[in-house]
Amino acid sequence: MSAFSEHNFAGQKALIRVDFNVPLDKQTRAITDDTRMRATLPTIKKILADGGSVILMSHLGRPKEGPEEKSSLKHLVPHLKELLGEGTHVFFADDCIGEQAYLTASMLKPGEVLLLENLRFYKEEEKGDKGFAEKLSKLGDIYVNDAFGTAHRAHASTAVIADFFPAGKKLFGTVMEGEVIAGEKVLHNSERPFVAIIGGAKVSDKILIIENLLERATDVIIGGGMAYTFMKARGGKIGSSLCEEDRLGTATDLLKKAIEKGVSIHLPEDSIIADKFAADAETKTCPSDQIPDGWMGLDIGPKAAGIFSEVIRKSKTILWNGPMGVFEMEKFQAGTKAIADAVAESTENGAYSLVGGGDSVAAVNQFGYTDKVSYVSTGGGAMLEFFEGKQLPGIAAIKNS
Ligand code: 3PG
Ligand code: MG
């Protein structure tokens, strides 16, 4: 039993910080991936079922100059109504701290929901302004933080606001609880062998997470564009593959550190190379350290996929962040698919697998593996920082108070 599930919300107005920062279609403003909205439904429904009412607050996008049409949370109202079902009354306030917001919040009846306008229409949100946090806090009787995706930000609504609620009146919701349990299991209670699969374009984004995982994992698999900086650091020829010249030294240091720690780093032995970055490119398979000039690696090759899959199959704990190639293009998705397959198989055989980071989650969804892994994180940047070993402000604000 968790603090959230044990709490009875009857007669209370729960102010929930959610991460409804969902991708919207540029033209129609329709939601293109509602994972983060669906993830919070158990939290919202439990409070409503208890006889409480719900006030939802979130940011959307990165508005810089106050209110703007394209970042309005009003675009989410129809879908929120659909997700909650016909019987639930959903109100919208077009200013998160305005008179209308207070009035609607104070008149909310048990079972009703109020969605507030974008918190980032106020600069005070990102600044972590105390006065703004206090104003928000007046909207509810109890604060629930369920925004794991934004937990790495020390903003007014994600962290500072917790100071305005006494102990027992600030809780994690089910998303936060689930993320923290899954993350801590992998970071502090992993069964070995423990493989970390790290992909994506840039080494610079993943240095800290690799460093921290070298302290904990038995194997680290490196794929995606970032693998070529490692290949070049080891003296390989990488043609015109992605390379962060200024990170060659970092890559060498990480490889050395892995040897010192007795962690096996697996780089892709071969690659699918292309003559241009395009869906209709000419392609061939080639050793990853002998890529001809004018060609670039856009996916791991079949040998690499086989070796990586072997490592994954013998692992008991699997952490996956970042795709193996440009999986959005059909010619370069076999590597990521093979990894998803191996992770699913290993999970079926008893391993614990956690997948996170926008692109890897999109890949897992696209290939239909969502229910075949143990846990899919709703965090991008937050998930990275969690596995870098950092204290996330959104977690600390409740846990340490
Ligand atoms: C995210 O999508 O990364 C979170 O919602 C946080 O948004 P931000 O990166 O704009 O702070
Ligand atoms: Mg982000």
Side-chain angles (χ1 to χ4, degrees), residues 124-186:
E124 289 84 347
E125 162 66 356
E126 288 179 77
K127 286 187 181 142
D129 185 85
K130 280 197 175 135
F132 179 67
E134 186 172 13
K135 280 182 193 158
L136 289 171
S137 73
K138 303 270 189 264
L139 289 158
D141 312 314
I142 181 162
Y143 170 64
V144 178
N145 190 349
D146 217 17
F148 178 73
T150 326
H152 56 319
R153 308 288 183 216
H155 294 172
S157 69
T158 60
V160 182
I161 192 171
D163 286 345
F164 298 99
F165 290 89
K169 287 279 171 67
K170 41 187 159 186
L171 301 169
F172 292 144
T174 54
V175 175
M176 262 302 209
E177 284 183 345
E179 296 274 1
V180 171
I181 290 169
E184 286 186 346
K185 183 178 167 76
V186 169

Side-chain angles (χ1 to χ4, degrees), residues 55-72:
I55 300 146
L56 299 169
M57 56 176 175
S58 179
H59 75 289
L60 177 63
R62 291 177 172 170
K64 285 287 166 257
E65 300 300 331
E68 57 180 30
E69 161 79 16
K70 67 170 186 174
S71 303
S72 172

Side-chain angles (χ1 to χ4, degrees), residues 290-399:
Q290 291 167 44
I291 301 177
D293 289 340
W295 290 74
M296 62 189 89
L298 294 185
D299 193 9
I300 58 170
K303 254 191 215 157
I307 295 167
F308 290 1
S309 298
E310 211 34 53
V311 175
I312 294 165
R313 279 197 208 99
K314 70 169 179 33
S315 297
K316 288 270 168 258
T317 306
I318 303 162
L319 174 65
W320 183 12
N321 178 288
M324 297 291 104
V326 189
F327 72 94
E328 300 87 346
M329 299 180 195
E330 213 185 322
K331 286 188 175 179
F332 312 111
Q333 59 181 220
T336 303
K337 232 180 191 162
I339 296 310
D341 220 35
V343 173
E345 192 187 321
S346 201
T347 309
E348 205 185 341
N349 293 330
Y352 186 82
S353 56
L354 192 159
V355 185
D359 288 342
S360 14
V361 172
V364 162
N365 287 339
Q366 185 181 320
F367 302 145
Y369 287 92
T370 318
D371 299 327
K372 297 180 177 165
V373 299
S374 311
Y375 194 82
V376 178
S377 175
T378 55
M383 189 251 188
L384 263 186
E385 290 195 25
F386 187 95
F387 286 101
E388 285 169 2
K390 289 189 186 137
Q391 273 253 35
L392 305 190
I395 294 176
I398 287 183
K399 212 172 161 184

Side-chain angles (χ1 to χ4, degrees), residues 176-339:
M176 262 302 209
E177 284 183 345
E179 296 274 1
V180 171
I181 290 169
E184 286 186 346
K185 183 178 167 76
V186 169
L187 216 45
H188 304 297
N189 279 312
S190 59
E191 222 186 303
R192 291 159 82 86
F194 169 11
V195 62
I197 310 160
I198 308 291
K202 284 157 82 189
V203 180
S204 45
D205 291 340
K206 307 282 163 95
I207 297 166
L208 296 176
I209 189 172
I210 295 176
E211 264 179 355
N212 192 36
L213 291 169
L214 286 178
E215 306 290 335
R216 297 161 203 280
T218 44
D219 297 85
V220 175
I221 288 174
I222 294 180
M226 60 186 282
Y228 300 100
T229 302
F230 283 91
M231 294 311 299
K232 185 162 180 184
R234 264 192 358 186
K237 267 191 67 200
I238 60 166
S240 42
S241 305
L242 266 186
C243 181
E244 284 174 277
E245 294 289 340
D246 58 339
R247 299 295 178 181
L248 289 169
T250 310
T252 308
D253 289 346
L254 288 171
L255 293 173
K256 274 198 219 149
K257 204 175 265 176
I259 295 170
E260 279 163 31
K261 301 269 174 205
V263 177
S264 308
I265 288 209
H266 307 271
L267 294 172
E269 204 170 300
D270 60 349
S271 291
I272 304 297
I273 61 169
D275 61 349
K276 58 181 176 186
F277 187 88
D280 63 348
E282 194 80 38
T283 64
K284 49 188 180 187
T285 305
C286 164
S288 300
D289 57 356
Q290 291 167 44
I291 301 177
D293 289 340
W295 290 74
M296 62 189 89
L298 294 185
D299 193 9
I300 58 170
K303 254 191 215 157
I307 295 167
F308 290 1
S309 298
E310 211 34 53
V311 175
I312 294 165
R313 279 197 208 99
K314 70 169 179 33
S315 297
K316 288 270 168 258
T317 306
I318 303 162
L319 174 65
W320 183 12
N321 178 288
M324 297 291 104
V326 189
F327 72 94
E328 300 87 346
M329 299 180 195
E330 213 185 322
K331 286 188 175 179
F332 312 111
Q333 59 181 220
T336 303
K337 232 180 191 162
I339 296 310

